[in-house]
Amino acid sequence: MNIVEAIRNRKSIRKFKPEPVNKEIIKEILEIAGQAPSALNTQPWEFTVLAGDVLENVKKGNLEMLNSGATPNPEFSCVEWPLESIYKERQVELAMQLFKLMGIDRKDKEKRTKWTQRGFRFFDAPVAIILSSDRDIPEAPPALDIGAVMQNICLAAMHYNLGTCIENQGIMYPDILRKYADISEKRLVITSIAIGYPDPDFPANKIVTKRAPVDSITKWCGI
Ligand SMILES: Cc1cc2nc3c(=O)[nH]c(=O)nc-3n(C[C@H](O)[C@H](O)[C@H](O)COP(=O)(O)O)c2cc1C
């Protein structure tokens, strides 16, 4: 698969086969992803890889928090936008696409809750990667650099026939992550990636999301 094909074909996977992923493969993916550029080559990221009992405990802990109505307290938020904006419209469009594929009626609260719960249990992935930065870095967290390594993980995973879903739902309760994965308070939890072998029969895995046409988001100057 060439690079353009990989970028074009990457998509979020929201159900995985139970098959485990070999640790060496994850290690190779992280090593490849670490080739990402970063400001002054600072490489301000660290990975915490969760699998087996640790991941099961985190999934269980997340669900307990969610079901108890606990207020999510992510340490880094990337989902704040005005209610009446193109961003909100795109969010609604995504939800509608997913619900249609999954046969979920917007008014069916039970099915919607079940869908939300799936995200908090990493879509049943056998592995989850938590991306964190150094809390001591002053100013804003190095989100640009971490975004680059995050995308690289998703693309490199495809080389091994693995699917991914970048997941804010996975880091909504950082205390659960700290409890079971022993993530130090010195680390700032930025995001998570569910990773595993995609289940090709799962309806939501067939999603194809749209993008704004280039000319609608590009200003051409002198070209
Ligand atoms: C920072 C970030 C956080 C995300 N968090 C979630 C999440 O919590 N749950 C989810 O189902 N998808 C999540 N996604 C996946 C997006 O919904 C997805 O990338 C977007 O709809 C475009 O679809 P595609 O990845 O299939 O191209 C997240 C993506 C990013 C970049």
Side-chain angles (χ1 to χ4, degrees):
M1 191 183 292
N2 73 31
I3 190 164
V4 174
E5 258 182 273
I7 293 169
R8 283 204 187 278
N9 292 328
R10 185 214 53 81
K11 60 154 82 169
S12 295
I13 293 299
R14 293 183 175 89
K15 186 169 197 275
F16 301 87
K17 294 180 183 168
E19 214 174 307
V21 184
N22 188 296
K23 181 177 174 181
E24 285 310 308
I25 293 182
I26 299 288
K27 199 170 166 186
E28 275 180 44
I29 290 171
L30 296 179
E31 199 257 329
I32 296 163
Q35 288 298 319
S38 58
L40 301 166
N41 199 23
T42 43
Q43 304 161 59
W45 47 70
E46 268 186 31
F47 312 115
T48 305
V49 181
L50 316 180
D53 287 348
V54 175
L55 181 56
E56 286 313 307
N57 283 333
V58 170
K59 288 176 184 174
K60 211 169 140 238
N62 276 351
L63 283 182
E64 278 167 10
M65 294 293 275
L66 178 73
N67 295 339
S68 73
T71 307
N73 60 333
E75 296 177 349
F76 177 73
S77 174
C78 58
V79 286
E80 277 168 33
W81 47 77
L83 273 181
E84 284 183 34
S85 64
I86 183 70
Y87 315 112
K88 184 72 190 170
E89 282 171 31
R90 289 174 183 156
Q91 179 192 358
V92 170
E93 188 180 350
L94 172 69
M96 278 168 57
Q97 261 187 296
L98 285 168
F99 286 179
K100 190 170 175 205
L101 283 165
M102 295 300 298
I104 300 173
D105 189 302
R106 229 163 54 87
K107 291 187 198 114
D108 190 334
K109 215 170 159 227
E110 198 184 320
K111 278 194 181 167
R112 283 179 60 161
T113 303
K114 283 206 166 129
W115 175 256
T116 304
Q117 287 170 340
R118 304 191 71 262
F120 282 77
R121 49 173 218 264
F122 294 95
F123 298 111
D124 298 330
V127 178
I129 302 170
I130 311 298
L131 284 80
S132 65
S133 71
D134 188 335
R135 209 186 275 279
D136 286 343
I137 294 176
E139 311 292 339
L144 296 178
D145 318 55
I146 294 197
V149 84
M150 173 186 90
Q151 166 81 338
N152 272 1
I153 291 174
C154 298
L155 294 176
M158 293 170 74
H159 177 73
Y160 300 89
N161 298 318
L162 289 161
T164 52
C165 187
I166 300 158
E167 264 214 78
N168 263 21
Q169 285 170 304
I171 50 117
M172 286 294 161
Y173 300 114
D175 289 350
I176 296 293
L177 293 169
R178 294 194 193 288
K179 178 173 172 188
Y180 294 111
D182 196 23
I183 298 175
S184 150
E185 282 295 341
K186 286 178 181 287
R187 307 298 308 166
L188 186 76
V189 173
I190 304 281
T191 194
S192 71
I193 303 180
I195 180 164
Y197 295 99
D199 178 339
D201 300 323
F202 190 65
N205 285 351
K206 298 184 186 0
I207 193 164
V208 179
T209 50
K210 283 196 275 176
R211 297 296 186 269
V214 171
D215 278 330
S216 73
I217 51 166
T218 309
K219 185 174 166 192
W220 303 98
C221 303
I223 179 173

mmCIF file of all heavy atoms in Angstrom, residues 7-14 76 78-79 90 94-95 97-98 115 119-120 123 150-151 164-172 190-192 204 207-211, ligand 1:
data_model
loop_
_atom_site.group_PDB
_atom_site.id
_atom_site.type_symbol
_atom_site.label_atom_id
_atom_site.label_comp_id
_atom_site.label_asym_id
_atom_site.label_seq_id
_atom_site.Cartn_x
_atom_site.Cartn_y
_atom_site.Cartn_z
ATOM 1 N N ILE A 7 -3.423 6.798 3.345
ATOM 2 C CA ILE A 7 -4.111 7.974 3.905
ATOM 3 C C ILE A 7 -5.575 7.971 3.479
ATOM 4 O O ILE A 7 -6.483 8.214 4.281
ATOM 5 C CB ILE A 7 -3.404 9.286 3.477
ATOM 6 C CG1 ILE A 7 -2.017 9.362 4.117
ATOM 7 C CG2 ILE A 7 -4.234 10.507 3.861
ATOM 8 C CD1 ILE A 7 -1.121 10.465 3.565
ATOM 9 N N ARG A 8 -5.808 7.648 2.198
ATOM 10 C CA ARG A 8 -7.192 7.657 1.703
ATOM 11 C C ARG A 8 -8.038 6.548 2.329
ATOM 12 O O ARG A 8 -9.237 6.722 2.539
ATOM 13 C CB ARG A 8 -7.217 7.494 0.185
ATOM 14 C CG ARG A 8 -6.845 8.769 -0.567
ATOM 15 C CD ARG A 8 -7.425 8.757 -1.969
ATOM 16 N NE ARG A 8 -6.953 9.876 -2.755
ATOM 17 C CZ ARG A 8 -7.475 11.110 -2.690
ATOM 18 N NH1 ARG A 8 -8.470 11.363 -1.880
ATOM 19 N NH2 ARG A 8 -6.985 12.083 -3.441
ATOM 20 N N ASN A 9 -7.440 5.418 2.602
ATOM 21 C CA ASN A 9 -8.221 4.272 3.091
ATOM 22 C C ASN A 9 -8.336 4.175 4.611
ATOM 23 O O ASN A 9 -9.112 3.384 5.115
ATOM 24 C CB ASN A 9 -7.636 2.962 2.555
ATOM 25 C CG ASN A 9 -7.842 2.862 1.061
ATOM 26 O OD1 ASN A 9 -8.833 3.371 0.533
ATOM 27 N ND2 ASN A 9 -6.900 2.255 0.364
ATOM 28 N N ARG A 10 -7.559 4.960 5.334
ATOM 29 C CA ARG A 10 -7.678 4.890 6.791
ATOM 30 C C ARG A 10 -9.072 5.334 7.216
ATOM 31 O O ARG A 10 -9.630 6.277 6.674
ATOM 32 C CB ARG A 10 -6.625 5.794 7.466
ATOM 33 C CG ARG A 10 -6.641 5.663 9.000
ATOM 34 C CD ARG A 10 -6.311 6.963 9.674
ATOM 35 N NE ARG A 10 -7.160 8.032 9.209
ATOM 36 C CZ ARG A 10 -8.412 8.255 9.651
ATOM 37 N NH1 ARG A 10 -8.938 7.497 10.603
ATOM 38 N NH2 ARG A 10 -9.128 9.243 9.148
ATOM 39 N N LYS A 11 -9.625 4.627 8.139
ATOM 40 C CA LYS A 11 -10.920 5.042 8.680
ATOM 41 C C LYS A 11 -11.010 4.541 10.120
ATOM 42 O O LYS A 11 -10.260 3.641 10.521
ATOM 43 C CB LYS A 11 -12.068 4.497 7.848
ATOM 44 C CG LYS A 11 -12.110 2.985 7.781
ATOM 45 C CD LYS A 11 -13.488 2.464 7.526
ATOM 46 C CE LYS A 11 -13.873 2.487 6.072
ATOM 47 N NZ LYS A 11 -15.129 1.708 5.867
ATOM 48 N N SER A 12 -11.908 5.106 10.863
ATOM 49 C CA SER A 12 -12.063 4.682 12.248
ATOM 50 C C SER A 12 -12.788 3.342 12.300
ATOM 51 O O SER A 12 -13.825 3.168 11.649
ATOM 52 C CB SER A 12 -12.839 5.733 13.042
ATOM 53 O OG SER A 12 -12.089 6.920 13.107
ATOM 54 N N ILE A 13 -12.238 2.433 13.077
ATOM 55 C CA ILE A 13 -12.802 1.097 13.238
ATOM 56 C C ILE A 13 -13.435 1.007 14.622
ATOM 57 O O ILE A 13 -12.804 1.341 15.629
ATOM 58 C CB ILE A 13 -11.665 0.042 13.076
ATOM 59 C CG1 ILE A 13 -11.151 0.057 11.631
ATOM 60 C CG2 ILE A 13 -12.114 -1.353 13.498
ATOM 61 C CD1 ILE A 13 -12.187 -0.278 10.563
ATOM 62 N N ARG A 14 -14.690 0.569 14.662
ATOM 63 C CA ARG A 14 -15.399 0.591 15.944
ATOM 64 C C ARG A 14 -15.884 -0.788 16.388
ATOM 65 O O ARG A 14 -16.764 -0.906 17.211
ATOM 66 C CB ARG A 14 -16.545 1.608 15.874
ATOM 67 C CG ARG A 14 -16.022 3.050 15.741
ATOM 68 C CD ARG A 14 -17.108 4.086 15.744
ATOM 69 N NE ARG A 14 -16.599 5.454 15.740
ATOM 70 C CZ ARG A 14 -16.315 6.160 14.632
ATOM 71 N NH1 ARG A 14 -16.497 5.625 13.445
ATOM 72 N NH2 ARG A 14 -15.838 7.391 14.722
ATOM 73 N N PHE A 76 -7.200 16.863 28.612
ATOM 74 C CA PHE A 76 -6.981 17.647 27.398
ATOM 75 C C PHE A 76 -8.239 17.505 26.558
ATOM 76 O O PHE A 76 -8.634 16.390 26.214
ATOM 77 C CB PHE A 76 -5.761 17.112 26.629
ATOM 78 C CG PHE A 76 -5.523 17.824 25.324
ATOM 79 C CD1 PHE A 76 -5.017 19.111 25.310
ATOM 80 C CD2 PHE A 76 -5.822 17.213 24.117
ATOM 81 C CE1 PHE A 76 -4.808 19.788 24.113
ATOM 82 C CE2 PHE A 76 -5.607 17.874 22.909
ATOM 83 C CZ PHE A 76 -5.105 19.167 22.909
ATOM 84 N N CYS A 78 -10.488 18.315 23.156
ATOM 85 C CA CYS A 78 -10.404 18.778 21.762
ATOM 86 C C CYS A 78 -11.793 18.833 21.156
ATOM 87 O O CYS A 78 -11.967 18.769 19.963
ATOM 88 C CB CYS A 78 -9.494 17.856 20.958
ATOM 89 S SG CYS A 78 -10.035 16.170 20.986
ATOM 90 N N VAL A 79 -12.797 18.891 22.015
ATOM 91 C CA VAL A 79 -14.168 18.873 21.484
ATOM 92 C C VAL A 79 -14.998 20.032 22.024
ATOM 93 O O VAL A 79 -16.072 19.837 22.560
ATOM 94 C CB VAL A 79 -14.874 17.524 21.777
ATOM 95 C CG1 VAL A 79 -14.338 16.428 20.900
ATOM 96 C CG2 VAL A 79 -14.757 17.150 23.246
ATOM 97 N N ARG A 90 -21.189 18.928 11.424
ATOM 98 C CA ARG A 90 -20.445 17.722 11.009
ATOM 99 C C ARG A 90 -20.545 16.633 12.072
ATOM 100 O O ARG A 90 -20.622 15.446 11.753
ATOM 101 C CB ARG A 90 -18.975 18.088 10.747
ATOM 102 C CG ARG A 90 -18.812 18.929 9.485
ATOM 103 C CD ARG A 90 -17.382 19.392 9.315
ATOM 104 N NE ARG A 90 -17.241 20.245 8.141
ATOM 105 C CZ ARG A 90 -16.279 21.142 7.981
ATOM 106 N NH1 ARG A 90 -15.349 21.304 8.912
ATOM 107 N NH2 ARG A 90 -16.219 21.878 6.889
ATOM 108 N N LEU A 94 -22.047 12.908 11.438
ATOM 109 C CA LEU A 94 -21.339 11.663 11.772
ATOM 110 C C LEU A 94 -22.235 10.748 12.603
ATOM 111 O O LEU A 94 -22.360 9.549 12.323
ATOM 112 C CB LEU A 94 -20.043 11.980 12.539
ATOM 113 C CG LEU A 94 -19.317 10.753 13.098
ATOM 114 C CD1 LEU A 94 -18.721 9.901 11.979
ATOM 115 C CD2 LEU A 94 -18.227 11.155 14.081
ATOM 116 N N ALA A 95 -22.867 11.331 13.626
ATOM 117 C CA ALA A 95 -23.742 10.527 14.497
ATOM 118 C C ALA A 95 -24.869 9.903 13.680
ATOM 119 O O ALA A 95 -25.191 8.720 13.837
ATOM 120 C CB ALA A 95 -24.303 11.396 15.617
ATOM 121 N N GLN A 97 -24.875 9.185 10.510
ATOM 122 C CA GLN A 97 -24.325 8.124 9.646
ATOM 123 C C GLN A 97 -24.123 6.836 10.450
ATOM 124 O O GLN A 97 -24.503 5.750 10.009
ATOM 125 C CB GLN A 97 -22.945 8.562 9.133
ATOM 126 C CG GLN A 97 -22.926 9.136 7.735
ATOM 127 C CD GLN A 97 -21.485 9.354 7.288
ATOM 128 O OE1 GLN A 97 -20.770 10.171 7.875
ATOM 129 N NE2 GLN A 97 -21.054 8.651 6.266
ATOM 130 N N LEU A 98 -23.524 6.996 11.634
ATOM 131 C CA LEU A 98 -23.248 5.810 12.465
ATOM 132 C C LEU A 98 -24.549 5.155 12.917
ATOM 133 O O LEU A 98 -24.708 3.931 12.847
ATOM 134 C CB LEU A 98 -22.403 6.201 13.684
ATOM 135 C CG LEU A 98 -20.923 6.487 13.409
ATOM 136 C CD1 LEU A 98 -20.248 7.147 14.607
ATOM 137 C CD2 LEU A 98 -20.170 5.210 13.021
ATOM 138 N N TRP A 115 -24.533 2.189 22.591
ATOM 139 C CA TRP A 115 -23.524 2.615 21.618
ATOM 140 C C TRP A 115 -22.421 3.426 22.322
ATOM 141 O O TRP A 115 -21.230 3.207 22.102
ATOM 142 C CB TRP A 115 -24.165 3.433 20.492
ATOM 143 C CG TRP A 115 -23.142 3.972 19.549
ATOM 144 C CD1 TRP A 115 -22.697 5.266 19.478
ATOM 145 C CD2 TRP A 115 -22.378 3.228 18.592
ATOM 146 N NE1 TRP A 115 -21.707 5.373 18.531
ATOM 147 C CE2 TRP A 115 -21.493 4.129 17.965
ATOM 148 C CE3 TRP A 115 -22.349 1.890 18.200
ATOM 149 C CZ2 TRP A 115 -20.594 3.750 16.973
ATOM 150 C CZ3 TRP A 115 -21.457 1.502 17.202
ATOM 151 C CH2 TRP A 115 -20.598 2.424 16.604
ATOM 152 N N GLY A 119 -17.834 2.846 23.139
ATOM 153 C CA GLY A 119 -16.658 3.710 23.042
ATOM 154 C C GLY A 119 -15.847 3.691 24.323
ATOM 155 O O GLY A 119 -14.621 3.694 24.299
ATOM 156 N N PHE A 120 -16.550 3.662 25.451
ATOM 157 C CA PHE A 120 -15.854 3.686 26.745
ATOM 158 C C PHE A 120 -15.180 2.355 27.053
ATOM 159 O O PHE A 120 -14.401 2.265 27.989
ATOM 160 C CB PHE A 120 -16.827 4.103 27.856
ATOM 161 C CG PHE A 120 -17.063 5.592 27.872
ATOM 162 C CD1 PHE A 120 -17.911 6.191 26.943
ATOM 163 C CD2 PHE A 120 -16.408 6.401 28.781
ATOM 164 C CE1 PHE A 120 -18.113 7.562 26.938
ATOM 165 C CE2 PHE A 120 -16.603 7.772 28.784
ATOM 166 C CZ PHE A 120 -17.451 8.353 27.851
ATOM 167 N N PHE A 123 -14.249 0.007 22.135
ATOM 168 C CA PHE A 123 -14.846 -0.745 21.029
ATOM 169 C C PHE A 123 -14.393 -2.206 21.016
ATOM 170 O O PHE A 123 -14.185 -2.806 19.962
ATOM 171 C CB PHE A 123 -14.557 -0.060 19.689
ATOM 172 C CG PHE A 123 -15.135 1.325 19.594
ATOM 173 C CD1 PHE A 123 -14.324 2.433 19.579
ATOM 174 C CD2 PHE A 123 -16.508 1.519 19.561
ATOM 175 C CE1 PHE A 123 -14.868 3.722 19.521
ATOM 176 C CE2 PHE A 123 -17.059 2.798 19.505
ATOM 177 C CZ PHE A 123 -16.231 3.894 19.483
ATOM 178 N N MET A 150 0.134 10.456 16.437
ATOM 179 C CA MET A 150 -1.162 9.757 16.495
ATOM 180 C C MET A 150 -1.581 9.279 15.099
ATOM 181 O O MET A 150 -1.947 8.117 14.906
ATOM 182 C CB MET A 150 -2.169 10.756 17.081
ATOM 183 C CG MET A 150 -3.595 10.349 17.099
ATOM 184 S SD MET A 150 -4.631 11.747 17.666
ATOM 185 C CE MET A 150 -4.983 12.533 16.100
ATOM 186 N N GLN A 151 -1.491 10.160 14.133
ATOM 187 C CA GLN A 151 -1.852 9.780 12.757
ATOM 188 C C GLN A 151 -0.897 8.702 12.235
ATOM 189 O O GLN A 151 -1.322 7.765 11.567
ATOM 190 C CB GLN A 151 -1.827 11.028 11.853
ATOM 191 C CG GLN A 151 -1.862 10.755 10.350
ATOM 192 C CD GLN A 151 -3.268 10.480 9.813
ATOM 193 O OE1 GLN A 151 -4.157 10.097 10.558
ATOM 194 N NE2 GLN A 151 -3.465 10.671 8.531
ATOM 195 N N THR A 164 -7.771 1.005 13.620
ATOM 196 C CA THR A 164 -7.633 1.873 14.790
ATOM 197 C C THR A 164 -8.860 2.785 14.929
ATOM 198 O O THR A 164 -9.547 3.063 13.957
ATOM 199 C CB THR A 164 -6.399 2.801 14.636
ATOM 200 O OG1 THR A 164 -6.478 3.461 13.374
ATOM 201 C CG2 THR A 164 -5.096 2.032 14.735
ATOM 202 N N CYS A 165 -9.060 3.259 16.133
ATOM 203 C CA CYS A 165 -9.980 4.384 16.339
ATOM 204 C C CYS A 165 -9.351 5.291 17.391
ATOM 205 O O CYS A 165 -9.107 4.855 18.524
ATOM 206 C CB CYS A 165 -11.366 3.919 16.795
ATOM 207 S SG CYS A 165 -12.556 5.299 16.845
ATOM 208 N N ILE A 166 -9.065 6.509 16.981
ATOM 209 C CA ILE A 166 -8.591 7.503 17.947
ATOM 210 C C ILE A 166 -9.786 7.773 18.839
ATOM 211 O O ILE A 166 -10.912 7.895 18.356
ATOM 212 C CB ILE A 166 -8.159 8.798 17.225
ATOM 213 C CG1 ILE A 166 -7.042 8.489 16.238
ATOM 214 C CG2 ILE A 166 -7.738 9.869 18.231
ATOM 215 C CD1 ILE A 166 -6.914 9.539 15.131
ATOM 216 N N GLU A 167 -9.550 7.848 20.135
ATOM 217 C CA GLU A 167 -10.698 7.860 21.033
ATOM 218 C C GLU A 167 -10.553 8.796 22.196
ATOM 219 O O GLU A 167 -9.749 8.540 23.107
ATOM 220 C CB GLU A 167 -10.824 6.450 21.612
ATOM 221 C CG GLU A 167 -11.778 5.585 20.889
ATOM 222 C CD GLU A 167 -12.424 4.699 21.891
ATOM 223 O OE1 GLU A 167 -13.321 5.180 22.602
ATOM 224 O OE2 GLU A 167 -12.024 3.542 21.982
ATOM 225 N N ASN A 168 -11.348 9.839 22.201
ATOM 226 C CA ASN A 168 -11.412 10.670 23.398
ATOM 227 C C ASN A 168 -12.228 10.002 24.485
ATOM 228 O O ASN A 168 -12.024 10.251 25.663
ATOM 229 C CB ASN A 168 -12.011 12.034 23.059
ATOM 230 C CG ASN A 168 -10.912 13.030 22.845
ATOM 231 O OD1 ASN A 168 -9.778 12.654 22.575
ATOM 232 N ND2 ASN A 168 -11.222 14.292 22.975
ATOM 233 N N GLN A 169 -13.161 9.157 24.058
ATOM 234 C CA GLN A 169 -13.978 8.466 25.060
ATOM 235 C C GLN A 169 -13.104 7.629 25.999
ATOM 236 O O GLN A 169 -13.427 7.459 27.155
ATOM 237 C CB GLN A 169 -14.997 7.556 24.364
ATOM 238 C CG GLN A 169 -16.157 8.336 23.758
ATOM 239 C CD GLN A 169 -17.023 7.452 22.875
ATOM 240 O OE1 GLN A 169 -16.539 6.825 21.942
ATOM 241 N NE2 GLN A 169 -18.298 7.409 23.165
ATOM 242 N N GLY A 170 -11.987 7.147 25.465
ATOM 243 C CA GLY A 170 -11.112 6.285 26.269
ATOM 244 C C GLY A 170 -10.373 7.010 27.378
ATOM 245 O O GLY A 170 -9.840 6.369 28.300
ATOM 246 N N ILE A 171 -10.308 8.349 27.308
ATOM 247 C CA ILE A 171 -9.516 9.084 28.316
ATOM 248 C C ILE A 171 -10.381 10.052 29.125
ATOM 249 O O ILE A 171 -9.875 10.994 29.722
ATOM 250 C CB ILE A 171 -8.337 9.837 27.651
ATOM 251 C CG1 ILE A 171 -8.810 10.677 26.439
ATOM 252 C CG2 ILE A 171 -7.278 8.882 27.163
ATOM 253 C CD1 ILE A 171 -8.612 12.123 26.603
ATOM 254 N N MET A 172 -11.677 9.779 29.125
ATOM 255 C CA MET A 172 -12.605 10.663 29.841
ATOM 256 C C MET A 172 -12.439 10.557 31.356
ATOM 257 O O MET A 172 -12.807 11.463 32.100
ATOM 258 C CB MET A 172 -14.049 10.329 29.468
ATOM 259 C CG MET A 172 -14.419 10.809 28.093
ATOM 260 S SD MET A 172 -14.407 12.600 28.070
ATOM 261 C CE MET A 172 -14.295 12.909 26.343
ATOM 262 N N ILE A 190 -3.418 12.768 26.896
ATOM 263 C CA ILE A 190 -3.907 13.558 25.752
ATOM 264 C C ILE A 190 -5.016 12.831 24.986
ATOM 265 O O ILE A 190 -6.065 13.371 24.719
ATOM 266 C CB ILE A 190 -2.756 13.909 24.772
ATOM 267 C CG1 ILE A 190 -1.631 14.653 25.499
ATOM 268 C CG2 ILE A 190 -3.271 14.694 23.570
ATOM 269 C CD1 ILE A 190 -1.881 16.124 25.744
ATOM 270 N N THR A 191 -4.737 11.622 24.562
ATOM 271 C CA THR A 191 -5.782 10.874 23.844
ATOM 272 C C THR A 191 -5.472 9.376 23.890
ATOM 273 O O THR A 191 -4.461 8.963 24.488
ATOM 274 C CB THR A 191 -5.931 11.375 22.385
ATOM 275 O OG1 THR A 191 -7.152 10.858 21.827
ATOM 276 C CG2 THR A 191 -4.781 10.971 21.490
ATOM 277 N N SER A 192 -6.351 8.596 23.286
ATOM 278 C CA SER A 192 -6.111 7.143 23.247
ATOM 279 C C SER A 192 -6.443 6.626 21.848
ATOM 280 O O SER A 192 -7.153 7.280 21.079
ATOM 281 C CB SER A 192 -6.983 6.429 24.289
ATOM 282 O OG SER A 192 -8.344 6.453 23.913
ATOM 283 N N ALA A 204 -20.930 -0.468 11.481
ATOM 284 C CA ALA A 204 -20.290 0.856 11.628
ATOM 285 C C ALA A 204 -18.885 0.880 11.010
ATOM 286 O O ALA A 204 -18.366 1.958 10.708
ATOM 287 C CB ALA A 204 -20.225 1.253 13.098
ATOM 288 N N ILE A 207 -18.400 2.581 7.534
ATOM 289 C CA ILE A 207 -18.608 4.033 7.378
ATOM 290 C C ILE A 207 -17.568 4.658 6.438
ATOM 291 O O ILE A 207 -16.399 4.264 6.417
ATOM 292 C CB ILE A 207 -18.565 4.755 8.754
ATOM 293 C CG1 ILE A 207 -19.087 6.180 8.614
ATOM 294 C CG2 ILE A 207 -17.156 4.750 9.355
ATOM 295 C CD1 ILE A 207 -19.438 6.833 9.934
ATOM 296 N N VAL A 208 -18.062 5.590 5.633
ATOM 297 C CA VAL A 208 -17.163 6.414 4.809
ATOM 298 C C VAL A 208 -17.546 7.856 5.115
ATOM 299 O O VAL A 208 -18.651 8.288 4.783
ATOM 300 C CB VAL A 208 -17.333 6.124 3.301
ATOM 301 C CG1 VAL A 208 -16.398 7.019 2.483
ATOM 302 C CG2 VAL A 208 -17.065 4.649 2.994
ATOM 303 N N THR A 209 -16.677 8.571 5.784
ATOM 304 C CA THR A 209 -17.001 9.946 6.173
ATOM 305 C C THR A 209 -16.584 10.923 5.082
ATOM 306 O O THR A 209 -15.649 10.668 4.333
ATOM 307 C CB THR A 209 -16.302 10.310 7.497
ATOM 308 O OG1 THR A 209 -14.926 9.961 7.386
ATOM 309 C CG2 THR A 209 -16.917 9.591 8.671
ATOM 310 N N LYS A 210 -17.318 12.029 5.036
ATOM 311 C CA LYS A 210 -17.047 13.014 3.971
ATOM 312 C C LYS A 210 -16.026 14.039 4.436
ATOM 313 O O LYS A 210 -15.800 14.213 5.637
ATOM 314 C CB LYS A 210 -18.346 13.752 3.623
ATOM 315 C CG LYS A 210 -19.281 12.929 2.759
ATOM 316 C CD LYS A 210 -20.335 13.817 2.128
ATOM 317 C CE LYS A 210 -21.503 14.027 3.044
ATOM 318 N NZ LYS A 210 -22.554 14.899 2.663
ATOM 319 N N ARG A 211 -15.448 14.744 3.484
ATOM 320 C CA ARG A 211 -14.561 15.858 3.789
ATOM 321 C C ARG A 211 -14.983 17.080 2.983
ATOM 322 O O ARG A 211 -15.528 16.941 1.882
ATOM 323 C CB ARG A 211 -13.100 15.524 3.448
ATOM 324 C CG ARG A 211 -12.501 14.383 4.248
ATOM 325 C CD ARG A 211 -12.400 14.702 5.745
ATOM 326 N NE ARG A 211 -11.694 13.673 6.487
ATOM 327 C CZ ARG A 211 -12.271 12.611 7.066
ATOM 328 N NH1 ARG A 211 -13.576 12.438 6.977
ATOM 329 N NH2 ARG A 211 -11.539 11.729 7.724
HETATM 330 C C1 LIG B 1 -8.894 13.645 18.646
HETATM 331 C C2 LIG B 1 -9.912 12.651 18.179
HETATM 332 C C3 LIG B 1 -10.784 12.082 19.085
HETATM 333 C C4 LIG B 1 -11.728 11.136 18.676
HETATM 334 N N1 LIG B 1 -12.535 10.549 19.608
HETATM 335 C C5 LIG B 1 -13.448 9.629 19.213
HETATM 336 C C6 LIG B 1 -14.277 8.982 20.164
HETATM 337 O O1 LIG B 1 -14.181 9.237 21.365
HETATM 338 N N2 LIG B 1 -15.177 8.070 19.712
HETATM 339 C C7 LIG B 1 -15.297 7.746 18.388
HETATM 340 O O2 LIG B 1 -16.131 6.910 18.044
HETATM 341 N N3 LIG B 1 -14.498 8.327 17.458
HETATM 342 C C8 LIG B 1 -13.577 9.255 17.847
HETATM 343 N N4 LIG B 1 -12.748 9.832 16.913
HETATM 344 C C9 LIG B 1 -12.841 9.430 15.501
HETATM 345 C C10 LIG B 1 -13.572 10.470 14.654
HETATM 346 O O3 LIG B 1 -14.948 10.405 14.884
HETATM 347 C C11 LIG B 1 -13.235 10.197 13.183
HETATM 348 O O4 LIG B 1 -11.866 10.360 12.974
HETATM 349 C C12 LIG B 1 -14.004 11.114 12.234
HETATM 350 O O5 LIG B 1 -15.379 10.880 12.320
HETATM 351 C C13 LIG B 1 -13.563 10.890 10.775
HETATM 352 O O6 LIG B 1 -13.806 9.562 10.411
HETATM 353 P P1 LIG B 1 -12.673 8.565 9.958
HETATM 354 O O7 LIG B 1 -11.644 8.471 11.065
HETATM 355 O O8 LIG B 1 -13.374 7.253 9.727
HETATM 356 O O9 LIG B 1 -12.039 9.113 8.720
HETATM 357 C C14 LIG B 1 -11.806 10.773 17.312
HETATM 358 C C15 LIG B 1 -10.903 11.335 16.393
HETATM 359 C C16 LIG B 1 -9.976 12.253 16.822
HETATM 360 C C17 LIG B 1 -8.997 12.825 15.829
#
